[in-house]
Amino acid sequence: MIRKSAIFCMFALLLISAFPLKTARADVAPPETPPGTNLLPGNETTQVRMAAETVTLTISKNPDDPYKAIAKTEAVFTMRNLGTAEENMQVRFPLSFFNGNSNGFGQFPEIPSIVVKINGQDVPTRREMQPFVNTENGYKERPEIPWAVFDVTFPPQQDVKIEVLYTVSGFGHFPYQIFKYILETGAGWNGTIGTADIIVRFPYEVNQKNVWMQEVFGYTNPTQGGGMSGNEVRWHFDDLEPTSENNIEIITVTPTLWESVLNETNVVTKNPNDGEAWGRLGMYYKQILTQSHGELRGDPAGDEMFELSKSAYEKCLALLPN
């Protein structure tokens, strides 16, 4: 067993040392899943403004697939009727792609269920097929999409708190998962969005190695401007008139894989003579920095993991020379 591990370490070390660092090229995109999305008002003109919103995506491993991840999403909206008359409307939340597009494979997956609260009280929702929302691109693959619809009363000059809770799945090629949150649909309300905070929360401390903030796979471009602190990545906006350029997209290392890195790092810290653990650590770093088409990450954090992987394999071989 030890001999096999040492042979594997030597092979991996030779492979990673010989592998040139290259930038990402185009790759076949995996099927997308419905993103999180801001609420939309009914079809009528409204005096209701989205005064504030706080959206929190809590990332965790997918219990059904260790190579995937999910995000439990809690979106809290403070709505204020700026007019002098009470407004009663059917507020909408898209259960599939709000622009009428498919997941790229001709399929239209839906968010399976949501919970809606108004001023802290659960309210019923109903699924309705309605025309898609006009977008900047103006392209659609089907004329109607499913919405979760619920009734809301907005008294004049008063705040109404709406909470929407649901779970979305990530998409992407292992070892990465991509999550999106659509802000542009918030443009349907009166005026600007007063303040918007988008928080992506992880079960461990975030850094440039486990959250990739630049283009990856050649087909997606993560949103810039997010601040990392502790176990969160945050975006903040004031007086936002949202467009498609404000939509949030984030790329993360699959949680199961990053937790493996943390576990093996803890093992070698406590027992630096564990050659098997050093070999596993080198393998996990190599998996993270290797994209699905075999090329390596070319960003500074990728370069750092290249050296960490190489060093771990060297320590593995030094401890298990046979």
Side-chain angles (χ1 to χ4, degrees), residues 11 59 86 88 105 141 162 178 243 254 257 275 280 310:
F11 173 76
I59 308 295
E86 181 178 274
N88 297 282
F105 288 73
E141 294 183 52
I162 300 176
I178 303 169
T243 68
T254 303
L257 181 53
R280 292 191 297 267
K310 182 171 179 288

Side-chain angles (χ1 to χ4, degrees), residues 48-157:
V48 178
R49 183 192 188 201
M50 187 177 289
E53 68 170 300
T54 300
V55 180
T56 305
L57 288 76
T58 302
I59 308 295
S60 64
K61 65 184 73 174
N62 187 329
D64 299 322
D65 187 346
Y67 294 97
K68 301 290 185 180
I70 59 175
K72 293 184 178 179
T73 306
E74 180 181 11
V76 181
F77 306 94
T78 301
M79 316 299 295
R80 187 170 183 85
N81 183 354
L82 303 178
T84 58
E86 181 178 274
E87 290 192 30
N88 297 282
M89 73 172 69
Q90 295 180 347
V91 176
R92 303 182 296 161
F93 179 89
L95 296 175
S96 188
F97 302 101
F98 76 100
N99 53 14
N101 290 344
S102 73
N103 64 356
F105 288 73
Q107 302 165 337
F108 302 92
E110 294 186 25
I111 294 174
S113 64
I114 68 170
V115 173
V116 176
K117 298 182 180 182
I118 299 177
N119 292 329
Q121 301 296 315
D122 289 359
V123 298
T125 65
R126 56 190 179 276
R127 181 183 180 278
E128 293 185 5
M129 296 296 291
Q130 296 183 1
F132 86 109
V133 177
N134 286 315
T135 65
E136 295 176 6
N137 296 327
Y139 175 76
K140 65 179 186 293
E141 294 183 52
R142 61 175 174 175
E144 294 184 321
I145 61 172
W147 297 84
V149 179
F150 52 98
D151 299 317
V152 186
T153 296
F154 297 101
Q157 303 301 318

Side-chain angles (χ1 to χ4, degrees), residues 1-12 275-276 316-317 319-322:
M1 177 64 183
I2 292 177
R3 179 174 178 80
K4 289 182 178 178
S5 296
I7 291 173
F8 173 77
C9 286
M10 183 174 295
F11 173 76
E276 295 279 355
C316 168
L317 288 172
L319 291 164
L320 303 174
N322 295 323

